Amino acid sequence: VPGASVSLAGSPGALAQVRMRGGEANHTIVLIDGIDITSPDIGETDFSTLVTGGLSRIEVLRGPQSGLYGSNALGGVINIVTKGGRGPLELTLRSEAGSFGTFDYALRASGGNEQAWGSFSYHERHTRGFNIAPFGIEDDGATLKTFHMKGGVRLAEGLVVDFTLRQTD
């Protein structure tokens, strides 16, 4: 996206930032399914903890409209929308492996109709990493585990209950 810059501060698992329109990373709000996931302790979103499994789309809002989200959205807003789970039952299993002892796997199940729907996904990534320090021989490995559940039920005409649950470790 023009005006967006992504930077990684080291090996996999290190802080990854997105800066938009020349602002700092804490001037970009990131939402997943409309929920602000900005870290309260560092004031920005660490993109190294985000996985792409189960995503429907990513929307980027730049310019004066981002001000509608408050002063913390001076640079812009990134809205990540996950798959909702409507449609026939769909099961997905994916795995991959690479250098530095890296392996990655994901499991996703979704399905439903106009009365009840749901989506469940689990993603895990491990890497032994590599040494980024000028002194020493330790590898800087990382492990990322993400569980995401989203669904809803239509209780009556005009009454719908939706939920989203996300846990990242």
Side-chain angles (χ1 to χ4, degrees):
V1 174
S5 172
V6 180
S7 61
L8 180 63
S11 63
L15 178 67
Q17 300 175 312
V18 172
R19 294 182 170 100
M20 293 179 61
R21 299 178 57 218
E24 293 297 323
N26 61 346
H27 294 147
T28 300
I29 289 182
V30 180
L31 308 170
I32 295 182
D33 294 328
I35 300 169
D36 187 352
I37 62 164
T38 304
S39 173
D41 58 340
I42 61 175
E44 61 187 75
T45 301
D46 181 4
F47 279 78
S48 71
T49 64
L50 297 179
V51 294
T52 58
L55 295 187
S56 174
R57 67 185 181 275
I58 299 175
E59 305 166 339
V60 179
L61 181 64
R62 300 172 294 139
Q65 294 85 8
S66 65
L68 296 172
Y69 289 84
S71 61
N72 287 347
L74 190 62
V77 178
I78 299 172
N79 185 30
I80 300 168
V81 180
T82 60
K83 293 182 181 177
R86 289 192 170 111
L89 180 63
E90 179 182 321
L91 299 170
T92 306
L93 178 62
R94 178 188 59 76
S95 69
E96 48 186 271
S99 59
F100 304 112
T102 302
F103 69 89
D104 186 294
Y105 65 90
L107 168 67
R108 183 175 175 279
S110 68
N113 54 34
E114 291 301 315
Q115 296 302 313
W117 55 91
S119 175
F120 159 88
S121 66
Y122 180 77
H123 188 133
E124 191 166 334
R125 179 186 312 141
H126 296 277
T127 181
R128 185 181 69 240
F130 52 89
N131 185 13
I132 63 169
F135 304 105
I137 58 170
E138 78 283 348
D139 288 337
D140 298 309
T143 299
L144 174 65
K145 299 175 185 177
T146 300
F147 168 78
H148 185 83
M149 207 163 92
K150 179 180 179 180
V153 62
R154 182 179 310 280
L155 299 175
E157 187 64 35
L159 180 59
V160 175
V161 176
D162 283 320
F163 70 91
T164 299
L165 174 67
R166 182 177 187 86
Q167 169 65 38
T168 300
D169 183 23

